[in-house]
Amino acid sequence: YSTRWSTIYATDFMRESEARGYAISESIKRNVLTSLRRNAREWKPVRNYYSRSEEYTQAYRLYVLALGKTPELGAMNRLKENNGLDDMTKWMLALAYSKVGRNDVSKSLIEMTTDFTVDYNQYDLTYGSNLRDKAIRLLVLCSLDRGSEAAEISREISSVLSQDNWLSTQTTAFSLMGLSEY
């Protein structure tokens, strides 16, 4: 079975592969982006154990759509206006705004954040880790040309990657993307 996050993740890396010269079927790309756009437009906040994951997933969906040159600005604005957004949702949404040239909105979102550590548990539907979240923060800082803050986070990520510890594929991928952007 598929999950929302893993579908978006696969789309993200399909797009990343295409950007690096790999051939991607136009019909597959069109179908998946159409599906993501529909899901982004129809998304509504939920108030249950999964609300943080659902909001974060919507922000990731909006980021991938922005990267695919098919942004859903209305959905981005609706998510931004939700009260009580999780800090990492704000960072992911800030990344989406930066990709559509709205660095002013991106900056205002990250300036409202304070807590960067998430207690990932069985209710998380994003397969999250704090290192993955650091990598997302690094991507945002790079897109906003905030070099000194990006340098600090890149050192932290590099330190973890150089250790002989197990990391999930997603954590490793986001970490390498962040470092390559830096």
Side-chain angles (χ1 to χ4, degrees), residues 92-128:
M92 183 64 85
L93 187 57
L95 191 54
Y97 274 107
S98 74
K99 295 305 175 189
V100 297
R102 291 298 312 269
N103 288 349
D104 57 325
V105 178
S106 184
K107 288 176 185 176
S108 72
L109 280 165
I110 65 171
E111 287 169 0
M112 296 187 305
T113 62
T114 57
D115 186 17
F116 302 118
T117 305
V118 177
D119 181 24
Y120 287 103
N121 58 37
Q122 71 268 22
Y123 300 115
D124 176 62
L125 303 175
T126 71
Y127 313 101

Side-chain angles (χ1 to χ4, degrees), residues 24-134:
I24 303 295
S25 161
E26 282 301 316
S27 65
I28 290 174
K29 186 170 68 170
R30 183 179 52 253
N31 289 342
V32 73
L33 289 175
T34 298
S35 176
L36 288 183
R37 289 183 80 193
R38 183 180 59 252
N39 290 335
R41 286 185 205 130
E42 295 172 356
W43 184 85
K44 293 188 179 15
V46 296
R47 297 293 168 230
N48 61 25
Y49 292 122
Y50 304 106
S51 60
R52 189 200 58 77
S53 292
E54 291 289 343
E55 290 171 347
Y56 202 178
T57 300
Q58 174 70 345
Y60 187 27
R61 181 182 294 119
L62 294 167
Y63 163 65
V64 169
L65 287 168
L67 284 175
K69 308 290 189 245
T70 55
E72 281 295 326
L73 295 172
M76 290 167 67
N77 291 333
R78 281 191 308 278
L79 182 60
K80 179 176 64 81
E81 295 306 318
N82 277 354
N83 291 327
L85 280 182
D86 175 77
D87 282 349
M88 281 313 302
T89 298
K90 290 175 188 172
W91 279 83
M92 183 64 85
L93 187 57
L95 191 54
Y97 274 107
S98 74
K99 295 305 175 189
V100 297
R102 291 298 312 269
N103 288 349
D104 57 325
V105 178
S106 184
K107 288 176 185 176
S108 72
L109 280 165
I110 65 171
E111 287 169 0
M112 296 187 305
T113 62
T114 57
D115 186 17
F116 302 118
T117 305
V118 177
D119 181 24
Y120 287 103
N121 58 37
Q122 71 268 22
Y123 300 115
D124 176 62
L125 303 175
T126 71
Y127 313 101
S129 74
N130 287 305
L131 184 60
R132 181 211 49 200
D133 292 349
K134 262 185 198 178

